[in-house]
Amino acid sequence: SSSSDKLLNASPKEYAKSLRGHQLETSALAVGKLIHTAVLEPDKVDTLFVTVDVTTKSTKTYKEAKQHLKKGQTLLTMSEYDSSMYVVDALLRNEVVKNMLRGAEFEMPAIGDVEGLPHRAKADILHRGVAVYDLKTTSEIGGFNYSARKYGYPAQVYIYSTLFGIDYKNFKFIVVDKGSKDIGVFSVSEAFYLEGKRLVENAVRVYTDYFINGEDLDTYIIYGEL
């Protein structure tokens, strides 16, 4: 996946650790998941999310609720839930976003070969054979250009364009600021797409060397020049 490729580019040692352990879900991830679900699959919100009316997550009530979660459920405070719904409302009232959602399929999976290894993807918003739109939440929309590269989104663009058979020019990010509720639509440049290709190629090389051919991870070294 693009997240695996991001880890492989950052550190194959961290990737190896991710295979052995469960990733902790942060508040930001939980809120982002709720916003995605409420916009794209609203019928699943009541099943997948549980809320508790507490002021802090250190309370006994919150801890007990967390212990009783069913598999696949996410726990949120009422404050997190309410603030997320304001973001959802901002998205669903926006005419540009409504047009991008109209006639689309949501949360559509794909799997296939990318640069010689199987990859998987799940398109948030798919207009089959035409376009893919990916929904992102941020706490600072003005810095999205930077964070998109920091979080490895070029690799996501390259993988999704390949697996869903679309031109990178038809991949767009719908970005919503969780604070201001401002919404942005970001297109993709050729340079961004080609950076994704480079990242995927490098991830495939690292994975092949260390997780297929069995090279010792202790021999991995990063070279650079300042």
Side-chain angles (χ1 to χ4, degrees):
S1 65
S2 58
S3 57
S4 296
D5 282 4
K6 174 180 177 287
L7 268 179
L8 286 161
N9 274 286
S11 167
K13 295 177 182 178
E14 287 299 314
Y15 175 77
K17 283 200 292 186
S18 76
L19 298 177
R20 299 191 296 268
H22 177 69
Q23 183 184 11
L24 292 175
E25 187 169 83
T26 64
S27 177
L29 284 174
V31 165
K33 186 188 295 185
L34 172 59
I35 293 168
H36 269 75
T37 306
V39 172
L40 307 176
E41 300 177 297
D43 55 306
K44 295 183 178 180
V45 169
D46 290 342
T47 304
L48 296 178
F49 296 90
V50 177
T51 60
V52 285
D53 193 5
V54 296
T55 54
T56 135
K57 295 183 179 181
S58 61
T59 62
K60 181 181 178 182
T61 302
Y62 185 89
K63 292 176 180 177
E64 287 179 347
K66 194 168 187 178
Q67 290 176 348
H68 290 92
L69 285 179
K70 296 177 182 177
K71 185 176 181 180
Q73 288 186 323
T74 297
L75 182 64
L76 296 139
T77 65
M78 190 60 71
S79 174
E80 288 174 327
Y81 181 89
D82 289 343
S83 62
S84 298
M85 288 302 107
Y86 285 121
V87 176
V88 171
D89 185 56
L91 284 164
L92 296 180
R93 284 189 291 108
N94 184 276
E95 288 300 325
V96 172
V97 173
K98 286 197 288 188
N99 285 333
M100 296 173 83
L101 295 174
R102 190 171 292 118
E105 299 173 271
F106 305 118
E107 299 289 2
M108 296 303 296
I111 188 167
D113 182 276
V114 183
E115 298 299 331
L117 284 180
H119 279 72
R120 60 181 171 84
K122 185 179 282 188
D124 286 346
I125 304 158
L126 174 66
H127 292 272
R128 198 172 291 273
V130 178
V132 170
Y133 306 135
D134 194 74
L135 178 60
K136 300 291 188 190
T137 56
T138 181
S139 57
E140 187 184 355
I141 198 167
F144 183 72
N145 191 290
Y146 167 77
S147 60
R149 288 164 172 80
K150 176 183 177 182
Y151 295 118
Y153 295 166
Q156 180 186 4
V157 171
Y158 183 70
I159 293 167
Y160 282 43
S161 297
T162 302
L163 293 183
F164 289 103
I166 64 156
D167 191 291
Y168 72 87
K169 296 174 185 176
N170 294 324
F171 188 112
K172 290 182 172 61
F173 291 101
I174 302 171
V175 184
V176 59
D177 191 304
K178 293 177 289 186
S180 67
K181 314 300 185 293
D182 286 332
I183 297 166
V185 175
F186 291 78
S187 58
V188 171
S189 67
E190 183 179 21
F192 193 90
Y193 171 79
L194 292 176
E195 172 64 7
K197 184 176 191 299
R198 184 194 69 78
L199 289 171
V200 173
E201 288 174 340
N202 188 66
V204 166
R205 180 187 61 78
V206 171
Y207 185 87
T208 301
D209 288 346
Y210 294 96
F211 298 93
I212 295 178
N213 297 338
E215 290 187 27
D216 188 350
L217 276 174
D218 286 336
T219 66
Y220 179 77
I221 191 166
I222 299 168
Y223 293 97
E225 182 178 351
L226 302 177

